[in-house]
Amino acid sequence: MAPPPPPPDLPKMAAGGAAPPLHDGAKMAGGAEPAPAPALERVVEALELLLRPPAGPDPEAALRPETLHSNAAALEERLRGAPGWEALRGLRRAVLARAPALAAGAAGEAEPGWAAACGLLALLLCLKERLAALAALPAARGAGPGAAPPPSADTLSVAQGRAVGRALRAAVGLGLAPYLPPGVGQRPGPPAPPPSPPAARGARLHAATAALAELAQHPALGGPLLARHLGLLLAGLCLLGHGPAAHSEGVSEAERARCREALRHILDRVYQPLAVRELLILQGRPKQSPPSPGEETKPALVRAPAWLRRLCGQLLSERLMRPSGVQAVVRGIMEGTGGGSGAEAAAVDWRKCDTVAKILASCPQQCLSLEDYYRLVCPQILDLLHIQDKLTARQFQRVATTTLLTMAKEHPQLAEKHLLQPLLAPLLRCSETAELAVDDLSAGTVLVTEAELGSCVEDVLKVYVVGNDSSSLLLGSLQSVLGVVFSLYSFAKQNVSYLRSPCQEILLWFLEKSEREVSLAVLEGFVGLNSSVRALHPRCRFRAGSEGGAAIAVEETISDEDEALYQKVSLEQCHVENVVELLSHCQKSGLAGDFFIRCLKALTRVAAEDEADSNSAAVPGRSLLELEQYHAGQRRKLLVLQLVATLCENVSDTVFTDIAQVEEFVAATLQRACVSPARGPGAAAEAQTLAMAMGLVAAMLSGAVQLQSSDFAVLKRLVPLLEELSRTYPEPLTQELAMDLRIAICTRGAFSPGTVGAAADGVLGRKPGTGVQSPAGIPGAAPSLGGGQALPRRGHSSPSAPRERSDEQSASHEPSTAGPAPAPCADSPAPAGLQELLVSAYDPQPPGRAAALRHLSSLITQRDPEALRLQEKLLEVFLENVQHEDAFVYLSAIQGVALLSSEYPERILPVLLARYGCPARGTEDTAAAVTRMKLGEVLMRVTRALGDMVFKHREPLVQAFLRGARDPDGALRASSLSNLGELCQRLGFQLGSIVQEVTSCLTAIAKTDPEAEVRRAAVHVVVLLLRGLSEKATEVLQDVLRDLYRLLKHVVAAEPDGATVLHAQLALEELDAVMRRVLFPPQALEKKIVVLP
């Protein structure tokens, strides 16, 4: 889009074309010009003499009749006898001979006003003739090289221009304004006295208008005339050319035709927003139109005659139908032609913007076809979105957006064809359904440039999101390109691009404004589960742009099947993660919860299909179509599993916002358990999920949230599923809990068996038997479910776990049941509570075990005396749980060991180092390596917690990691090297003599290790070492720096692994930067003040 047009150059516009002459007199061009020609100063002096004010303080006295009469007499006397005025007298005589009406008026003495106007117009015509003659002279040569060019011969000085402006104002005020009827070009104010005689109004108006129109042809005179008096000049031409015959007595039909032609010519040549503005003023105010806000203090427009209103409407429609007419109309109406405070005020005035939009959306009567009008105007409306001027961009964009939305409501088909499709064309061009011969294009062809794509995305944001009109037409048109927008969003997430934020806003707006089923289908389409959105063409790829945007180009088809499969899987994973990222912003609206439930239902169908496939016998010799359908089904199953896993990992516990969503989630879980009972390798995970769902219902029934009557009506939909589960599920405890939950729901919590309370205690992580307090002051259940409690996330324990723990506790505390037991404190539990946590740390269900470990870690953080007294027991519990296969459990144990080691490093670190060096007996090599890597993570957390105090334990830590770097297991070697690198980075200056051992180990591994991952880790240690030491590397590593440099050069030259080479190059760059800073220190300008003795 081109930048907005510059401010109007009215002189050039006025001289851009020659208007038809309005006089019938002979032309001076080609005739005998009086010789000698008068000087330019002489003509201006005559104008000043004619407008000379009398002595006195009143500046308006120059236009009084007596003053005008005396000035005209003084001018005539000077023209007749003063030396040097003969040339002007001859030129004035020739001009008056050409305009008889002006000659008659100038000679009359009965009306000083009209006589002065005729004299002024005659002198101005003389000035025009003289300026034209001077312009025809050859240009003067410059003063020399480098000097400014001399002005042209027809250039007016500042004083002369000021005198000419006064003369034009007096000529218009005396010769044009008094002869216009009321309502035609009149500004508000006191009415002018009617001139006399009335019969001569038409002839005088024509004479003055003709002279002014002729003056408008010259740049020096047309500029000030059209800038200040365009409205009155247009009013005179309209009255003479189109007004009633009664106002143009004495004017022939040919003269009226020339007036109409001159009107068209001036309107075509003048700055179009100015023309629009003056025509609106001529049109006057409509009937009973209330002023807009902020315009109450402005003078109201007068009521124009009906013929003038119709004529101005036609002329305004013609301005609109011209090229760039939309922008001219908008600029003229919005009063923003000069920018500044007027444009800011217009931006706030939304009423005015909406009014302009309605004007642009309605087809004028001059246009015969509505489609032709849309074809002409719609591209200009879209261009309004690209205005770069900050002062006017806001109002122009609002006008464009409102106009587009209005057109979409009134004529949806035409608006879609001429507005929405061109707006979305860059995105439609590269969609998978585009009618474009992409296969025939060569690789590297750019389909959509960076500027075009960025402009398209910004326009979509302005029209759809800022306009915020959720009509079916707009939503449907946006859905057609939503797949491309999502692909662009995924690309921007992986790169640095300013398009990330607008794409995210567009996607979120569509998901929130569309119907829920449409939004869910679109989310499934993003990850490839259906075809509800048009994805990016398979041969199109995004490229990073030089300006922070992106471009779309054609790429070659990947011939390597493995590489193509890898890119496809990576793209699917990226899309799944980005969908989950979008859902994280839609949790309050409930969309995230609904989509999670939809995925769980899809998972239920996957389980049913797997059950059916396992029961049916394999059919040999399938056809290609059946194989393709089978592979498509398997791909869909994998996508569903991947999506559910990512949602469970990343979506927070506030995903459910009301009881209805919790009910749907539990129903989907129960239905999956009924369809496919937990058997096989995934039986443990299925049992945990079922226990979590049933425990969630038990927690709600036990008072975790306040349930209303409507909530029980929702929960009642679970009764058939619970009844079926109590009959068909293979585990007896789960059957019993399902039956008890069904009873509790049917009785609305009036009868709650003990199993329900035990399951609720397991979900909430409470001691069995303690009550739960209902959230006071929070009506309903939605705030409790979505307000930040960890109820959905923590509930993973099975219904059998609480009962086992309860039995163990009753057996161990049976002697103390005679007296009342003290209530345990939440901050510092009693020994009985600590014993319960130690028992729960061996819970067979991972959620209960992890919760107990987390609680024990919090006790260590709070420095609970009972917990610190049992530090050895706690260490044993944590180390045993480190070997657990569940990530939630062993990460909780790692955290506990790290906290305990940071409190007592002297006691705990030797035990950890011994375990790290010698794995436990009776374990497999793989399990031992995994356990040692987990212990390495514990040691690194302790290192970070110790900070500078790690120097005391430097030797055993380094030796342990060096021994791990020689382990037969490659993963353990890489892990040990990674830990060694971080330890060296933290030691810094305290490395000491061990740097020789570290360097020798790294050199040997980087050159001889058979696994690329281990060599990569060894080179990465060098990178961390150089980054940690920075400028001091030359001091600390002075004995081994040359060996490290040779090692890195060897890796770059001989290493086949690309990632290892990249690490080596990064290390060389780091070393190069360090050496440059040492050899060429930055020059610092310092001022030293020395005090002499």
Side-chain angles (χ1 to χ4, degrees):
M1 173 63 193
D9 192 350
L10 293 176
K12 293 183 179 179
M13 290 187 176
L22 302 186
H23 292 294
D24 292 332
K27 292 291 182 183
M28 294 190 65
E33 186 179 351
L40 195 63
E41 294 79 2
R42 189 67 67 192
V43 183
V44 175
E45 183 181 355
L47 290 172
E48 292 178 343
L49 180 60
L50 194 57
L51 294 175
R52 182 179 58 187
D58 188 6
E60 297 296 331
L63 298 181
R64 292 177 180 175
E66 57 273 12
T67 305
L68 294 174
H69 183 72
S70 62
N71 290 343
L75 178 62
E76 289 295 333
E77 181 180 357
R78 188 166 296 186
L79 286 173
R80 282 195 301 267
W85 290 74
E86 296 83 0
L88 178 59
R89 184 173 63 247
L91 180 59
R92 181 170 177 266
R93 186 183 307 112
V95 167
L96 292 177
R98 202 161 46 117
L102 295 181
E109 298 182 359
E111 297 182 39
W114 172 243
C118 293
L120 287 171
L121 291 173
L123 289 176
L124 289 171
L125 289 174
C126 293
L127 182 61
K128 171 183 173 295
E129 295 291 344
R130 186 59 193 147
L131 289 173
L134 292 175
L137 296 177
R141 296 182 179 179
S152 58
D154 61 340
T155 302
L156 294 175
S157 65
V158 176
Q160 291 172 350
R162 193 180 299 115
V164 170
R166 291 203 313 271
L168 288 171
R169 183 167 60 251
V172 171
L174 295 173
L176 183 60
Y179 301 96
L180 293 175
V184 180
Q186 293 290 335
R187 270 61 173 178
S196 58
R201 289 184 184 179
R204 293 183 177 181
L205 180 62
H206 176 263
T209 304
L212 292 173
E214 187 175 352
L215 292 174
Q217 299 177 24
H218 196 277
L221 302 177
L225 174 61
L226 297 179
R228 296 178 178 85
H229 312 291
L230 177 62
L232 291 175
L233 180 59
L234 293 179
L237 292 173
C238 290
L239 183 63
L240 293 172
H242 301 273
H247 295 290
S248 56
E249 295 181 4
V251 182
S252 64
E253 188 61 33
E255 291 173 338
R256 297 192 65 178
R258 285 195 291 271
C259 288
R260 289 192 291 268
E261 191 174 353
L263 174 64
R264 303 278 180 180
H265 176 79
I266 291 178
L267 287 176
D268 290 343
R269 303 307 304 174
V270 81
Y271 182 57
Q272 291 303 297
L274 183 60
V276 171
R277 186 175 178 181
E278 294 298 334
L279 287 175
L280 286 173
I281 296 175
L282 281 178
Q283 195 176 26
R285 60 177 176 83
K287 293 182 179 179
Q288 299 178 353
S289 59
S292 300
E295 293 189 349
E296 292 84 354
T297 58
K298 295 183 179 181
L301 297 176
V302 297
R303 177 75 174 164
W307 67 268
L308 184 58
R309 292 199 304 272
R310 289 193 300 270
L311 175 63
C312 290
Q314 295 175 4
L315 296 175
L316 286 171
S317 299
E318 292 177 3
R319 300 303 100 194
L320 177 62
M321 301 293 290
R322 286 170 56 89
S324 302
V326 171
Q327 190 173 144
V329 170
V330 175
R331 287 185 181 274
I333 297 178
M334 300 303 294
E335 299 180 354
T337 55
S341 59
E344 288 292 331
V348 179
D349 187 5
W350 59 269
R351 278 190 182 181
K352 188 174 294 185
C353 295
D354 293 347
T355 303
V356 178
K358 292 179 181 179
I359 294 174
L360 296 178
S362 58
C363 179
Q365 298 179 354
Q366 288 84 348
C367 190
L368 300 178
S369 171
L370 181 63
E371 186 166 358
D372 292 341
Y373 175 72
Y374 271 60
R375 186 182 299 110
L376 177 66
V377 171
C378 288
Q380 302 182 42
I381 294 175
L382 295 178
D383 289 342
L384 295 179
L385 297 171
H386 306 149
I387 299 296
Q388 300 298 326
D389 184 12
K390 294 182 179 180
L391 292 175
T392 58
R394 183 180 175 186
Q395 56 184 343
F396 275 55
Q397 291 168 9
R398 180 176 182 85
V399 169
T401 302
T402 310
T403 306
L404 189 147
L405 298 178
T406 305
M407 288 181 168
K409 291 179 181 178
E410 296 179 355
H411 305 285
Q413 295 180 352
L414 292 176
E416 183 178 8
K417 178 180 179 182
H418 298 287
L419 282 174
L420 297 180
Q421 289 184 2
L423 178 68
L424 304 173
L427 300 176
L428 292 170
R429 194 184 310 158
C430 55
S431 64
E432 60 182 357
T433 58
E435 297 180 1
L436 186 66
V438 180
D439 296 333
D440 299 334
L441 295 177
S442 59
T445 304
V446 178
L447 292 181
V448 183
T449 62
E450 179 185 4
E452 189 178 7
L453 184 61
S455 176
C456 177
V457 172
E458 291 177 356
D459 292 347
V460 171
L461 180 69
K462 296 170 187 175
V463 172
Y464 289 87
V465 181
V466 179
N468 198 22
D469 187 351
S470 57
S471 63
S472 58
L473 174 63
L474 292 177
L475 292 175
S477 62
L478 183 58
Q479 186 176 355
S480 62
V481 298
L482 217 56
V484 182
V485 175
F486 179 75
S487 299
L488 179 58
Y489 170 71
S490 302
F491 174 81
K493 285 279 290 181
Q494 295 177 337
N495 299 273
V496 179
S497 175
Y498 69 90
L499 296 176
R500 181 189 311 173
S501 178
C503 288
Q504 178 177 319
E505 292 185 28
I506 293 170
L507 294 171
L508 292 178
W509 179 85
F510 181 88
L511 294 176
E512 292 177 1
K513 296 299 180 181
S514 299
E515 297 180 359
R516 186 52 54 91
E517 286 299 321
V518 176
S519 299
L520 296 176
V522 165
L523 288 172
E524 289 182 344
F526 286 161
V527 296
L529 293 178
N530 59 30
S531 57
S532 59
V533 294
R534 303 175 186 175
L536 187 68
H537 197 279
R539 285 202 58 192
C540 292
R541 294 291 184 272
F542 290 102
R543 290 182 180 178
S546 59
E547 301 296 331
I552 303 177
V554 180
E555 287 194 357
E556 294 182 359
T557 305
I558 302 175
S559 57
D560 189 358
E561 295 182 359
D562 294 338
E563 181 66 21
L565 179 61
Y566 172 75
Q567 290 195 6
K568 183 178 180 180
V569 172
S570 301
L571 184 63
E572 290 177 353
Q573 175 67 25
C574 178
H575 285 178
V576 169
E577 293 176 356
N578 291 327
V579 165
V580 175
E581 175 69 20
L582 289 175
L583 288 175
S584 65
H585 301 281
C586 303
Q587 296 189 20
K588 292 183 179 180
S589 62
L591 179 62
D594 291 343
F595 185 70
F596 185 53
I597 295 168
R598 192 182 185 99
C599 293
L600 290 179
K601 292 180 179 178
L603 190 62
T604 303
R605 291 192 293 270
V606 169
E609 292 173 2
D610 289 342
E611 187 75 15
D613 291 342
S614 62
N615 295 332
S616 62
V619 180
R622 293 181 177 180
S623 63
L624 290 177
L625 179 60
E626 291 175 346
L627 287 175
E628 289 182 1
Q629 293 176 352
Y630 174 76
H631 289 308
Q634 294 298 317
R635 174 182 172 274
R636 178 181 175 82
K637 292 177 183 178
L638 291 175
L639 280 177
V640 171
L641 292 173
Q642 184 183 13
L643 189 58
V644 172
T646 309
L647 285 171
C648 293
E649 182 179 357
N650 296 317
V651 178
S652 67
D653 51 11
T654 59
V655 61
F656 297 135
T657 57
D658 53 19
I659 295 294
Q661 286 186 338
V662 176
E663 181 272 331
E664 290 186 11
F665 162 69
V666 175
T669 307
L670 297 179
Q671 187 175 4
R672 188 167 65 255
C674 295
V675 171
S676 177
R679 290 192 298 268
E686 289 291 341
Q688 292 174 19
T689 306
L690 179 62
M692 180 257 304
M694 299 177 70
L696 188 60
V697 179
M700 290 190 295
L701 293 173
S702 300
V705 294
Q706 294 180 353
L707 296 177
Q708 307 295 333
S709 300
S710 58
D711 299 331
F712 280 105
V714 172
L715 292 176
K716 216 165 194 179
R717 291 181 291 199
L718 298 175
V719 172
L721 292 173
L722 290 171
E723 184 175 1
E724 182 180 357
L725 192 69
S726 65
R727 290 186 288 101
T728 60
Y729 201 75
E731 187 181 357
L733 293 177
T734 304
Q735 290 182 358
E736 181 184 358
L737 180 59
M739 181 62 68
D740 293 344
L741 286 175
R742 186 177 67 86
I743 295 173
I745 292 174
C746 292
T747 59
R748 299 201 170 195
F751 177 75
S752 180
T755 55
V756 176
D761 293 338
V763 168
L764 298 175
R766 302 183 310 224
K767 178 180 177 181
T770 58
V772 62
Q773 296 181 356
S774 300
I778 304 178
S784 299
L785 291 174
Q789 292 187 5
L791 185 60
R793 179 171 287 187
R794 295 174 57 184
H796 297 284
S797 59
S798 66
S800 60
R803 179 170 297 181
E804 295 174 0
R805 291 198 298 269
S806 179
D807 294 340
E808 294 174 0
Q809 291 159 12
S810 62
S812 60
H813 300 296
E814 186 175 357
S816 62
T817 55
C825 178
D827 295 331
S828 179
L834 182 59
Q835 181 66 27
E836 176 193 349
L837 290 176
L838 293 174
V839 173
S840 300
Y842 294 95
D843 194 314
Q845 299 297 330
R849 179 179 293 201
L853 295 175
R854 293 278 179 176
H855 201 164
L856 290 174
S857 300
S858 66
L859 293 179
I860 297 173
T861 305
Q862 299 168 8
R863 303 186 64 84
D864 183 79
E866 294 296 332
L868 296 180
R869 183 173 58 84
L870 301 175
Q871 55 179 283
E872 296 180 359
K873 179 63 176 176
L874 292 180
L875 178 62
E876 181 182 356
V877 170
F878 286 137
L879 289 178
E880 291 184 9
N881 281 282
V882 164
Q883 304 177 20
H884 199 279
E885 61 181 4
D886 189 274
F888 196 27
V889 174
Y890 73 72
L891 287 177
S892 302
I894 287 174
Q895 180 185 5
V897 177
L899 290 173
L900 197 60
S901 302
S902 61
E903 294 290 339
Y904 301 99
E906 302 293 340
R907 303 178 185 177
I908 307 298
L909 265 182
V911 179
L912 295 179
L913 290 172
R915 292 282 187 100
Y916 186 78
C918 301
R921 296 181 179 179
T923 58
E924 299 179 359
D925 294 341
T926 304
V930 172
T931 303
R932 292 177 67 186
M933 284 189 284
K934 295 175 182 177
L935 290 175
E937 173 64 22
V938 173
L939 291 174
M940 292 318 302
R941 293 195 182 191
V942 174
T943 301
R944 300 187 194 106
L946 290 177
D948 293 338
M949 296 298 297
V950 75
F951 173 73
K952 185 176 181 181
H953 310 280
R954 177 190 64 176
E955 298 291 341
L957 285 172
V958 172
Q959 296 302 327
F961 291 144
L962 287 177
R963 286 193 298 269
R966 296 194 299 268
D967 194 85
D969 187 88
L972 180 59
R973 294 201 304 273
S975 174
S976 299
L977 288 172
S978 177
N979 297 336
L980 180 63
E982 186 171 353
L983 177 61
C984 293
Q985 187 179 20
R986 292 189 174 275
L987 286 174
F989 298 107
Q990 301 170 347
L991 278 174
S993 60
I994 65 171
V995 69
Q996 298 284 354
E997 301 179 40
V998 174
T999 304
S1000 301
C1001 178
L1002 296 179
T1003 304
I1005 292 177
K1007 291 183 178 181
T1008 62
D1009 199 280
E1011 296 190 20
E1013 184 180 7
V1014 182
R1015 299 195 303 270
R1016 192 181 309 162
V1019 178
H1020 185 60
V1021 174
V1022 181
V1023 178
L1024 294 177
L1025 192 60
L1026 293 174
R1027 286 180 181 171
L1029 295 174
S1030 187
E1031 286 84 355
K1032 303 301 180 181
T1034 55
E1035 300 178 15
V1036 180
L1037 304 177
Q1038 57 181 349
D1039 297 331
V1040 297
L1041 195 59
R1042 184 180 60 179
D1043 298 335
L1044 292 177
Y1045 176 75
R1046 290 178 176 176
L1047 171 63
L1048 295 175
K1049 296 296 287 185
H1050 170 77
V1051 171
V1052 171
E1055 174 60 45
D1057 182 57
T1060 308
V1061 173
L1062 177 60
H1063 281 297
Q1065 290 174 346
L1066 292 176
L1068 287 173
E1069 291 178 3
E1070 193 72 29
L1071 185 59
D1072 179 71
V1074 170
M1075 296 306 300
R1076 287 181 181 274
R1077 287 193 293 268
V1078 172
L1079 296 177
F1080 309 106
Q1083 298 294 329
L1085 299 178
E1086 299 179 354
K1087 179 184 291 185
K1088 293 184 178 180
I1089 301 176
V1090 180
V1091 180
L1092 298 176

